[in-house]
Amino acid sequence: MSIASVTATTGVNGAKTSSKAGQGWGGMGAEDFVKLLTTQLQNQDPTEPVDNTQMLAQLAQFSSLSNLNDMKDSLGTITKQSDTLSAISTKLDTLNSTVGKLLASQPTSTNA
């Protein structure tokens, strides 16, 4: 049994890989998962193939992780929009206060 070497420019058995060093697991996408899955299937022991339930569990976990990442991105967008709305509200309050002061300082005219 031989053990394939893994380097920064070549992957398992010399396959080309794209370096995503420093991005962690968050930098992985669906394409990366499919590459890992096919590599796992290609290199499995034919006498002891991967259990289907394990593979389905991995797919379900990846799907859940993908959905959680989408939710995180959506919540980040909502937070930014909320911050913008808060800033607009503050500016409108200031404007309203300024207009109120200007109106209060205007002399009132009485018609006789």
Side-chain angles (χ1 to χ4, degrees), residues 68-86:
L68 287 173
N69 282 333
D70 291 344
M71 286 174 50
K72 182 187 89 168
D73 293 342
S74 296
L75 287 174
T77 301
I78 290 170
T79 300
K80 288 178 186 176
Q81 291 172 346
S82 176
D83 291 344
T84 302
L85 288 174
S86 178

Side-chain angles (χ1 to χ4, degrees), residues 14-77:
K16 296 289 181 186
T17 62
S18 61
S19 177
K20 293 189 178 190
Q23 292 184 3
W25 291 108
M28 294 186 71
E31 185 177 322
D32 297 313
F33 179 77
V34 170
K35 285 180 183 177
L36 286 171
L37 186 63
T38 55
T39 302
Q40 178 182 0
L41 290 173
Q42 290 171 348
N43 294 309
Q44 71 179 339
D45 183 2
T47 60
E48 294 182 31
V50 176
D51 185 17
N52 289 337
T53 56
Q54 289 178 350
M55 196 163 299
L56 287 175
Q58 290 175 1
L59 287 170
Q61 288 173 347
F62 183 76
S63 177
S64 295
L65 179 62
S66 178
N67 289 337
L68 287 173
N69 282 333
D70 291 344
M71 286 174 50
K72 182 187 89 168
D73 293 342
S74 296
L75 287 174
T77 301

Side-chain angles (χ1 to χ4, degrees), residues 90-106:
T90 301
K91 291 188 185 292
L92 286 175
D93 287 343
T94 303
L95 180 63
N96 188 29
S97 174
T98 304
V99 169
K101 288 177 185 177
L102 285 172
L103 291 175
S105 69
Q106 294 295 317

